[in-house]
Amino acid sequence: MPGARRPTPDLFMDQIEIRGGQRLCGEIDVSGAKNAALPLLFATLLASGESRLDNVPRLRDCDTVERLLAIFGARVDRNNGTFRVDTRDLASIEAPYELVRTMRASVLALGPLTARFGRARVSLPGGCAIGARPIDLHLKGLAAMGAEIDLDQGYVETRAKRLVGARIYLDLPTVTGTENLMMAAALARGETVLENAAREPEIVDLAEALNKMGALVEGAGSDTIHIQGADDLAPYEHATMPDRIEAGTFLVAGAITGGDVLVRGARPEHLEALLAKLREAGARITEEESGIRVRGPKRPRPVSIVTSPHPGFPTDMQAQFMALMCLADGSSLISEHVFENRFMHVCELQRMGADISIAGHTATVRGVNALKGAPVMATDLRASASLVLAGLAAEGVTTISRIYHLDRGYEHIEEKLAGLGAQIRRLRE
C-alpha cells in the first residue's frame, strides 16, 4: 500500500541522541492526534462502504490498527496521512492476541463489531506498563445494552442479536470505555445515556464522526452523553483533530530551553490546564491565529500539579512537566491520581542529576541548577518524551534507548525538534 511507514517492532534497538543546551526557536507543526485517530479508524467498522480519515499521524499504533482492520477483512488504502477504509467485505470478528498485545486501544474493536455483527472476539489488551487499565467498565456497559459476555483463554467474546439502548453509569470517566460504548450505542435500538462519561476533546471528535455517519450524539465534552442509535450507519469523511499532547510536549520544549516556539495547530481550548501551569512557571504564552507561542523563562518558577481527568491537568503531560520542574528555582509537588505506576521516568531523570523523591502518589521535585546528559532508558510513551525534554536542556549528550515507546505517540519527533535548532538525531542499530 502507498505511503511512508514508521519503524516496525524489529527496530527496537534504535536510540535518540541529543546534545543539549540549545535554545529552541521557530515554528513547529502538530500532527493529528493518535488518541483521536484510533477510535475513528475503529468507527469505520460500524458501516458498510468506504470511509475517509485525513490527518492520521504516521505512528506504530496506527500501523497496528491498519493491520487489524485488514485481518477483519477491510481494504485499507493508506496514502501519507489519509486512510481510506472499505468495510463492505468484512470476514472476521476476531482481534488476535499477536496484535492486541502491542496496543491496548485494540479493545475499541469490541463495541463496533458487537453492534454491527452481533458478536466479537477480542484479546485482552496490552500497551504501556503504566498501571492497571481494566476493561470491566466496557464490558458492564455492553452487558447493560444486552450483550452476553464470556472470557475464554484471554479473549473477550460477546454475543447479541441487537444491542438495546440503556442508561449506563461509568464508575470512572474512562476514555476508551466512553468511546467503545458510544460506538456500540450508535447502532443500538433506542437511546443510550452515558453518565460520568469522559470529557476529553477526543470524545468530541469521535461524536462528530458518528453524527456524520447518521447517529445522533449530544453532550459530548460533558459528563452526560446521549446517543440515539440508527438502524444503519453510512461511511464518513473526517479529519483528525490536532494532537493536544504532542502540542503540550512542544510547548514544554520551548519553555525548558528558554526558547521562543510557535506550535502551529495547537488549540488553546484543549490545553487550558497546561497553559495555566506554564504561565505560573514563568513562561509567556500567546494565543495566535495559527497556534500557541511560548517564550520560556530564564529559569522556571516551581509549580505543583495534580493530574485528573479532563479538563484537569492531563496525566499524559505529567512526565513532561516534571522534566521542566527539575530545573525550577525551588521545590514542586507532582501528584499522580490517574495511573498508579506513572513515575517510572523518575529513576532515569535522577541519572541526569534530578533531585526527586517519591512518597505514594506524590513526587517532590527539588529544582537543580543544571541537568547532565547521560544514557537513559524509556519505560513508556510519555516517559520517553520527558527524557527527550530533559536531554534538550541538559549539559552534554543524552542517549535514550527503547524509543519504540516514543514512536507510538510522536511522529518524527527528532526531525521536528531539529527544525527548531535542537541537536538531535536517531541512531539506528
Side-chain angles (χ1 to χ4, degrees), residues 413-424:
I413 189 172
E414 70 277 11
E415 297 174 15
K416 289 187 175 185
L417 291 173
L420 297 175
Q423 293 189 15
I424 180 172

Side-chain angles (χ1 to χ4, degrees), residues 389-409:
L389 296 176
L392 292 172
E395 298 174 354
V397 176
T398 298
T399 305
I400 307 169
S401 60
R402 295 181 66 182
I403 62 165
Y404 56 87
H405 289 296
L406 196 67
D407 290 334
R408 288 187 52 244

Side-chain angles (χ1 to χ4, degrees), residues 339-357:
F339 295 122
E340 74 276 12
N341 196 23
R342 210 163 199 181
F343 284 146
M344 292 188 291
H345 50 282
V346 167
C347 292
E348 303 305 303
L349 290 172
Q350 288 171 334
R351 288 174 53 81
M352 301 178 70
D355 184 356
I356 308 170
S357 58

Side-chain angles (χ1 to χ4, degrees), residues 357-368:
S357 58
I358 300 174
H361 295 284
T362 299
T364 301
V365 185
R366 303 170 188 84
V368 297

Side-chain angles (χ1 to χ4, degrees), residues 107-240:
V107 74
L108 288 170
L110 197 61
L113 290 175
T114 305
R116 182 175 167 194
F117 298 104
R119 59 196 182 97
R121 189 170 191 264
V122 177
S123 174
L124 292 171
C128 284
I130 58 174
R133 298 194 281 184
I135 64 168
D136 59 313
L137 298 182
H138 305 231
L139 304 184
K140 288 179 182 178
L142 289 172
M145 298 167 73
E148 297 179 9
I149 297 170
D150 292 317
L151 299 178
D152 178 44
Q153 296 182 332
Y155 280 78
V156 177
E157 296 184 354
T158 61
R159 292 178 303 280
K161 287 185 178 180
R162 185 180 179 187
L163 296 177
V164 179
R167 182 173 290 272
I168 301 168
Y169 179 83
L170 298 170
D171 294 333
L172 296 170
T174 162
V175 175
T176 54
T178 299
E179 292 167 341
N180 227 343
L181 297 176
M182 285 172 63
M183 289 188 284
L187 275 178
R189 184 172 64 249
E191 183 183 60
T192 297
V193 181
L194 302 180
E195 298 179 302
N196 197 32
R199 300 167 60 185
E200 273 71 6
E202 293 80 6
I203 301 290
V204 178
D205 210 32
L206 176 60
E208 290 177 2
L210 293 175
N211 284 336
K212 291 177 181 179
M213 298 178 80
L216 178 59
V217 183
E218 297 178 326
S222 74
D223 60 4
T224 302
I225 303 175
H226 295 256
I227 307 105
Q228 186 68 43
D231 291 334
D232 293 289
L233 295 174
Y236 71 82
E237 291 188 6
H238 190 73
T240 310

